[in-house]
Amino acid sequence: MPIDPRDMSAASASPDMENTNKRDRPFMTIQKSDSSENLVCCMKNGMRSIKYKPVDYQQLHALTEAKKLASASIELKIRKAVQTSKISKEQTLIKQHKQVWWQEHQRLNEVRCKMESEIKSFLNEKNIGNECLSDLTNFEQELSEQYCTYLKNVIHPIQQLRADLKYRQHHISQHSHSQTEFNSVKVLEEVDFVKKQLKAVFGRLSLEQQKLESSLSDWSMKILDHSSEERNNMLSKLPTELETLECPYSDLKSSIFNEFCNLTEKYQKKLQDFDLQLEDIYRNFQLSEKDHWIYQAVLDQYPRDLCGRRTLYLDMLQRYFPHKSRHDLVEHEKYCAQYRFAKEQRRTLISNWNKNRRDFIQKAVLTLAEACATHEMESTLAKDRKKQQELCADLKAKVLQWRAHQEEVARLEMEIFAIRREKEEEKEKLWKRKELLQREEKKKQIRKYRAKKEQKWQEMEMRDLWRLEELKKLMAEQSVKDRERVKYRQELLEKRLTEKREVALQEAHEEEERARRLEALRKQVAIVAQFDPVRMMSDTMASKARIGIGIEEEFILQKPLFTLNTYNEQQIISDLRLRFELALREAGLHKTFYAQEILPKISPPKHPRKDMESTVFKI
């Protein structure tokens, strides 16, 4: 009976089609409107309605629990992701802080070494005969001695106690339990006693440190205030240069003093305004004096050309001041910037005041000097007129005497020039004679050199002719060999062409035979379908499989349709060259120079036969 190919394909594909349909079927939730008519129909039909089924509450509880677990796992993943992002951000910030700290540490160490060396050199060079510097050196020696005693009495016992504790902890397993308890209690008592002593020592040291810092800050403030007051008094005080100068015109000197007073009052008023502005800004600071010092130190650690400088130092300030909010720190930063700007303006005002004061003093001194000079010039003009006539007479006599001297000097110079010219002409004649003799000698040497060169060229020409004859002989022999090789190649080519023709004829004959066999086989398996209207109108195997009829039936393929004479997957993968090329391709290195060099050098799993090697290039 002929077989319908549709039934075969449907039978073989029925299990796979069902599985794929089940996998690919989406989860769909259909919502329907709750109208009054549907409710009426539901009440009429009762609980045994076709549209409604009894609810499985256990399945719904399981679904809700699964959804809750999935949402909880997703929430946990989101929290973990947020936590990891926070940790990574914190780590990057700490890494940037560490880089800045390391650079600042190196810079401070360099500055410290430089300052220490400068102080030592200054003390060593200038302490001779200076009581203050000798007192400083003595104080430095006392401090070094105190530091050595501190190390001896405090640090070294702590280090010995630490080493003893490590030794006891290492060898504690060799003793009994009771003895270890006794030793541990004793050791803890010793450690507590040492802690109390250290606490007392550190308390005393911190009190001394606070006293020293407060005294130093007081002295620094006094020195700064005194220096600023001195500078202001110096700028506002009338300069001694103007007071000591004498001026023949009293009105001019009084006008200069009035102008200087006006300039001083103008700058003093501006300076008072800036001082008031600085006090107002300082009152608005959000941090105390100590915290402001820490704030300034943190800002100085981060250079101005650093990328993301503001975020870094704000993060560090939040770590230093956890009790302060970011808004307070930003406000303090704003007030610090205003304070810095006002201070810079005050500094520029003082520098401008000093500059204008110097310029004014210079101009006043010049005007007073010019006034004195003009007064002196007017008084000395009369005296100069009398002296001028006497000087004119003396100068006239001197000019006549100078003319006589100049004429005598010119005559002597002309005589000396004539004598020197004669000597130079004699020297030039002698030099020309020597040059002619040297040229004749050089011509003789050139003739000898040309003769030697001609002889060498003749010898080289003879050598080249002999070499040319030898090359012609070699080329004639090589041409004979080349003709023989060409003849041999032609014979090989004709032989190969004849073999190819025979192979082509044989392949054409085999192809005709194969077509004949296939035609006979095609006639044997031809489909002859009879007229069957019932079968035509009935369901096919594929439609039955789609509905679910005949699912358990399986079509077992007895034998393959065609015989394959080729390599299987295991044989192809066993080739080392293919595996190496796949590894290079995965790594993205299959187009590199290394891949081009190494791939031809890998030997195949089975070496080719010796009779397949070409011997054309070995003749």
Side-chain angles (χ1 to χ4, degrees), residues 249-364:
Y249 308 107
S250 59
D251 298 336
L252 178 62
K253 196 169 184 178
S254 62
S255 64
I256 288 169
F257 286 164
N258 293 328
E259 190 67 27
F260 180 79
C261 292
N262 293 330
L263 181 68
T264 306
E265 288 176 359
K266 182 178 72 173
Y267 276 104
Q268 280 180 349
K269 188 177 180 182
K270 288 182 180 178
L271 194 63
Q272 288 175 2
D273 294 339
F274 277 117
D275 290 336
L276 292 172
Q277 187 179 357
L278 286 171
E279 288 177 1
D280 293 337
I281 295 168
Y282 189 76
R283 282 194 219 97
N284 293 324
F285 276 3
Q286 301 291 327
L287 300 176
S288 61
E289 187 175 355
K290 187 177 179 181
D291 293 344
H292 178 69
W293 185 84
I294 294 169
Y295 169 84
Q296 197 62 40
V298 169
L299 254 70
D300 292 337
Q301 285 180 1
Y302 297 90
R304 296 190 180 277
D305 57 348
L306 183 67
C307 184
R309 175 177 178 265
R310 190 169 183 271
T311 55
L312 287 172
Y313 71 69
L314 282 175
D315 179 69
M316 184 50 61
L317 288 171
Q318 284 180 346
R319 294 173 191 273
Y320 271 109
F321 309 117
H323 56 282
K324 294 287 183 180
S325 63
R326 185 182 175 87
H327 178 70
D328 295 339
L329 294 173
V330 171
E331 286 290 324
H332 185 73
E333 182 186 10
K334 184 179 74 174
Y335 288 127
C336 284
Q338 292 177 2
Y339 187 81
R340 202 181 303 114
F341 181 69
K343 207 166 184 180
E344 190 66 27
Q345 283 185 334
R346 186 179 183 275
R347 195 181 295 113
T348 53
L349 178 69
I350 291 170
S351 65
N352 291 331
W353 187 7
N354 198 2
K355 184 181 176 183
N356 292 331
R357 184 174 178 274
R358 285 198 304 271
D359 295 340
F360 183 81
I361 291 168
Q362 287 178 1
K363 288 179 181 178

Side-chain angles (χ1 to χ4, degrees), residues 583-595:
L584 288 173
R585 190 176 290 278
E586 288 177 359
L589 303 172
H590 61 287
K591 292 183 180 180
T592 58
F593 181 72
Y594 169 74

